[in-house]
Amino acid sequence: MTSSRVGFAAGTKSRLSLNDPPFVEEPERESESAGRQRTSRERGVPKKERTVVRSGITRVHKLFRDFQNDFPNFDEYGVEHHAKMETLCDRAMPLREQVRALDEAVLRTFDSDFWQEEEIDEEMRDIEHYQDLLGDVINCGKLAKKSHETSIQLVLNASLPPGAVLGNMG
């Protein structure tokens, strides 16, 4: 046997070079309608799960709006008001993480080969809408908490004798 790099393929009489790349058949290009159907099926489960999470977002936001309508001024919040805001934030935080993961799963199914830019933009607008609802609840809760902490700090500072430094245990 020679040390040639050319040999015979098993069961054939043609010569194959070991330097030739293996023959790989190009996959057929999926039709637009088949691609849309496939991606719609892939989107089904996360979209269904996301619907449940989005209804939770809507409920939390409605409770937040009702609370804000009843008590619009942060400065007048008592302990029970701050507790209610904290509870709403606690309910909104896990919803934000859940909806982010589901939104990403849904967006991965929007192949630009099969979906129009307008359809993708509409999905993005829906995602932003629910992010805004959560942002309202979470950020207002943070602001109410910060406002409360600042007002307590001001009261504490005013009650100290002149020249005293709060928090310096040095």
Side-chain angles (χ1 to χ4, degrees):
M1 184 110 210
T2 68
S3 63
S4 168
R5 295 191 54 94
V6 177
F8 290 100
T12 69
K13 292 186 179 188
S14 64
R15 290 183 165 241
L16 295 176
S17 170
L18 296 177
N19 294 331
D20 290 341
F23 178 72
V24 177
E25 195 171 314
E26 286 288 321
E28 280 188 38
R29 175 118 167 98
E30 191 173 26
S31 73
E32 184 177 334
S33 64
R36 286 177 71 92
Q37 289 175 353
R38 178 184 53 77
T39 56
S40 289
R41 278 191 309 273
E42 291 171 359
R43 183 177 313 118
V45 172
K47 196 168 184 177
K48 188 175 184 178
E49 291 173 7
R50 186 178 67 175
T51 301
V52 174
V53 174
R54 283 182 169 181
S55 69
I57 292 169
T58 303
R59 276 193 304 274
V60 167
H61 191 265
K62 182 185 180 321
L63 290 170
F64 166 72
R65 281 287 164 220
D66 291 346
F67 177 77
Q68 266 209 317
N69 288 338
D70 293 342
F71 308 102
N73 193 353
F74 287 161
D75 297 334
E76 297 173 4
Y77 282 12
V79 173
E80 68 279 355
H81 300 110
H82 287 285
K84 179 66 174 180
M85 280 298 294
E86 192 72 23
T87 300
L88 291 172
C89 286
D90 287 347
R91 288 179 64 188
M93 294 296 273
L95 292 172
R96 180 172 62 177
E97 300 309 314
Q98 291 170 357
V99 81
R100 276 185 185 161
L102 293 168
D103 286 341
E104 288 174 11
V106 168
L107 284 175
R108 280 193 299 270
T109 66
F110 275 99
D111 188 336
S112 61
D113 291 341
F114 309 122
W115 298 92
Q116 300 291 323
E117 188 175 331
E118 295 81 29
E119 293 169 306
I120 297 170
D121 287 345
E122 182 179 339
E123 180 65 29
M124 292 303 296
R125 281 190 298 277
D126 283 347
I127 288 171
E128 289 169 1
H129 170 71
Y130 285 95
Q131 288 175 347
D132 288 347
L133 294 179
L134 285 169
D136 285 353
V137 176
I138 293 168
N139 292 326
C140 275
K142 287 178 182 178
L143 288 172
K145 186 174 184 174
K146 187 70 173 169
S147 173
H148 180 64
E149 290 170 351
T150 301
S151 64
I152 289 174
Q153 191 68 39
L154 290 172
V155 169
L156 286 173
N157 287 344
S159 68
L160 293 174
V165 178
L166 187 62
N168 189 1
M169 302 300 286

